[in-house]
Amino acid sequence: MKFIRWFLGRVILLLNFIFSPSGVKRSTQQQQVADSKAQSLALYQFDACPFCVKVRRAMKRQSVNIELRDAKNNPTHRAELEAGGGKVKVPCLRIEKDDKVEWMYESSDIVAYLEREFA
């Protein structure tokens, strides 16, 4: 079972690489605004998780540079995710607004949030 998951993960990553979406073209000033907005965001994810790939593809389509935090191989990020969000489940978007932190877990909700905030 572990081999099957590993193999399917590699297939997902390969297909994501081959069929990578193109990003939104923005002016330099508009991109700087989007980048400054994205500084308050962090995505906790696993590299080959299909739902994480879905969110990363949405980030690429919106040309958003969100910090990626590997919750599988980095024990610090894993502990932050568990302490802040309450569970180790990915993808999870950490949203910091007005000194308040929100943890968003569902990939569809994260994609909708990115489209709403950065479209």
Side-chain angles (χ1 to χ4, degrees), residues 15 22 31 46 51 53-54 59 68 70-72 92 112 114:
L15 291 174
S22 59
Q31 187 61 45
F46 296 168
F51 299 106
V53 170
K54 174 183 174 181
M59 288 168 45
L68 299 178
D70 186 356
K72 185 175 186 176
C92 182
L114 294 176

Side-chain angles (χ1 to χ4, degrees), residues 7-119:
F7 180 75
L8 288 176
R10 298 302 164 239
V11 169
I12 289 169
L13 290 175
L14 176 65
L15 291 174
N16 181 50
F17 177 75
I18 293 171
F19 300 108
S20 184
S22 59
V24 172
K25 303 293 185 221
R26 295 187 178 104
S27 70
T28 305
Q29 184 179 11
Q30 289 173 327
Q31 187 61 45
Q32 287 175 344
V33 169
D35 289 342
S36 68
K37 244 175 144 175
Q39 286 181 345
S40 64
L41 305 174
L43 181 68
Y44 290 83
Q45 49 101 39
F46 296 168
D47 207 29
C49 164
F51 299 106
C52 298
V53 170
K54 174 183 174 181
V55 172
R56 289 194 309 263
R57 290 175 66 83
M59 288 168 45
K60 182 147 184 164
R61 276 193 300 276
Q62 295 300 327
S63 298
V64 179
N65 300 314
I66 297 174
E67 178 186 358
L68 299 178
R69 297 182 179 176
D70 186 356
K72 185 175 186 176
N73 299 314
N74 187 320
T76 305
H77 291 158
R78 186 180 190 89
E80 288 172 3
L81 176 60
E82 188 170 21
K87 52 189 168 185
V88 179
K89 179 183 170 192
V90 293
C92 182
L93 185 65
R94 181 182 186 272
I95 306 166
E96 194 172 334
K97 274 189 186 173
D98 305 322
D99 298 328
K100 199 168 106 180
V101 177
E102 179 186 345
W103 299 82
M104 187 179 293
Y105 275 100
E106 294 299 320
S107 61
S108 296
D109 293 341
I110 296 170
V111 169
Y113 175 83
L114 294 176
E115 289 173 352
R116 188 172 58 249
E117 291 293 317
F118 296 98

